[in-house]
Amino acid sequence: MTTTRLDTRFAETRAEGRAALVTFVMAGDPDHTTSLAIVKSLPGAGADVIELGMPFTDPMADGPAIQAAGLRALKSGETLTKTLHLVATFREEDQTTPVVLMGYYNPIYIYGVDRFLTDAKKAGVDGLIIVDLPPEEDDELCLPAMKAGINFIRLATPTTDDKRLPTVLRNTSGFVYYVSITGITGSATPDFSVVGQAVTRIKARTDLPVAVGFGVKTAEHARALAANADGVVVGSALIDAIRKSLDAEGKATEQTVSAVVALVSELASGVRGARVAAE
């Protein structure tokens, strides 16, 4: 593969001596227009990489917060076609911030793999995280995505032992996403010392950046993980900020976008302060 936006962005943050802040929000939550405004606001607030959830009716790896966000998005009429349009609209103003789509294979399969990859590349998608496609199924989407110039990012978990790790890493590109806890998103706070050891173990096997996610809720969490990882992923905390800003009917308010911006700014300060504190 040629150099991608993800490669460039992680090289930039590495040169700055810090981890990247990777922010996850659900496409279409709480509605398409507000979701686009949120995504557009993320880079200015300090996000280095944007993960955009693809709403799905059976999100088995997601905790209650992200499940609810997906349901809000589906209720508002979000589709995979609209999500790709959201990325394309974002790209009209931002040509440098990497955008990664995260979700499940079923919507892509129904859309059609070849058509999806063509449309995703045209829209400006840089990477995919598909949580229910193991390495044994790389022919389904991973290899075609890489051929299309889209990074395929694999998850490693606390149960990924040294025997399994090479298989996980084999066709991974962009970065490795280390899931810091066993379980669903947003379910617990990680043990930072244990995560640091795991990141070191993965880095010994690959030159790819390693980003850590699941359970990151505060700037202090982000700062602790950024001391060892190349990236820190925050999702459920941002989804919670959106939820708390909604009115009694679950609709966006004037505070919705600003609530996300405020939290991302705090998290960015945590990530950016980690390496300074370590020096």
Side-chain angles (χ1 to χ4, degrees):
M1 290 181 62
T2 57
T3 300
T4 66
R5 289 189 187 94
L6 282 167
D7 298 328
T8 300
R9 180 51 52 91
F10 276 103
E12 290 169 350
T13 56
R14 188 182 304 113
E16 294 173 15
R18 65 174 180 86
L21 176 61
V22 184
T23 54
F24 172 93
V25 292
M26 182 67 67
D29 177 33
D31 61 75
H32 186 84
T33 300
T34 306
S35 180
L36 175 60
I38 290 170
V39 171
K40 285 183 174 181
S41 76
L42 292 173
D48 297 298
V49 178
I50 296 171
E51 271 186 33
L52 198 55
M54 297 179 286
F56 181 48
T57 53
D58 187 24
M60 61 185 182
D62 297 328
I66 294 179
Q67 284 190 23
L71 290 175
R72 287 194 297 268
L74 291 170
K75 185 178 180 181
S76 75
E78 189 70 12
T79 63
L80 187 50
T81 298
K82 286 186 176 181
T83 297
L84 293 176
H85 180 69
L86 190 155
V87 177
T89 305
F90 171 76
R91 280 281 170 248
E92 293 173 1
E93 300 177 8
D94 189 316
Q95 288 291 321
T96 58
T97 303
V99 175
V100 175
L101 296 184
M102 184 172 187
Y104 301 83
Y105 183 47
N106 183 270
I108 295 172
Y109 178 79
I110 293 172
Y111 193 99
V113 169
D114 292 341
R115 174 181 167 228
F116 169 77
L117 291 174
T118 297
D119 292 352
K121 184 67 176 178
K122 183 179 179 181
V125 172
D126 302 294
L128 298 173
I129 302 174
I130 308 301
V131 299
D132 56 348
L133 275 182
E136 288 76 15
E137 305 295 334
D138 275 357
D139 289 341
E140 289 283 335
L141 183 62
C142 174
L143 297 181
M146 292 172 67
K147 186 176 181 181
I150 297 175
N151 291 125
F152 199 87
I153 296 133
R154 191 79 68 192
L155 301 176
T157 73
T159 60
T160 306
D161 58 21
D162 288 337
K163 183 178 180 180
R164 178 66 173 171
L165 187 57
T167 301
V168 170
L169 296 174
R170 184 175 58 222
N171 290 319
T172 300
S173 62
F175 64 93
V176 180
Y177 188 144
Y178 180 69
V179 177
S180 62
I181 56 175
T182 302
I184 56 176
T185 57
S187 59
T189 300
D191 183 324
F192 302 120
S193 63
V194 172
V195 171
Q197 294 168 10
V199 169
T200 299
R201 180 171 67 90
I202 295 170
K203 283 186 174 185
R205 299 292 191 96
T206 181
D207 292 329
L208 289 171
V210 179
V212 178
F214 282 46
V216 184
K217 298 180 177 67
T218 66
E220 289 71 27
H221 291 170
R223 183 179 293 110
L225 292 173
N228 297 103
D230 300 297
V232 177
V233 186
V234 185
S236 294
L238 298 179
I239 298 299
D240 280 337
I242 293 172
R243 177 185 58 80
K244 291 175 182 177
S245 77
L246 304 179
D247 65 18
E249 297 180 352
K251 305 296 185 182
T253 66
E254 292 181 356
Q255 286 74 45
T256 299
V257 176
S258 59
V260 177
V261 168
L263 180 54
V264 172
S265 297
E266 291 178 20
L267 294 163
S269 67
V271 167
R272 285 162 172 75
R275 297 301 167 88
V276 174
E279 291 175 354

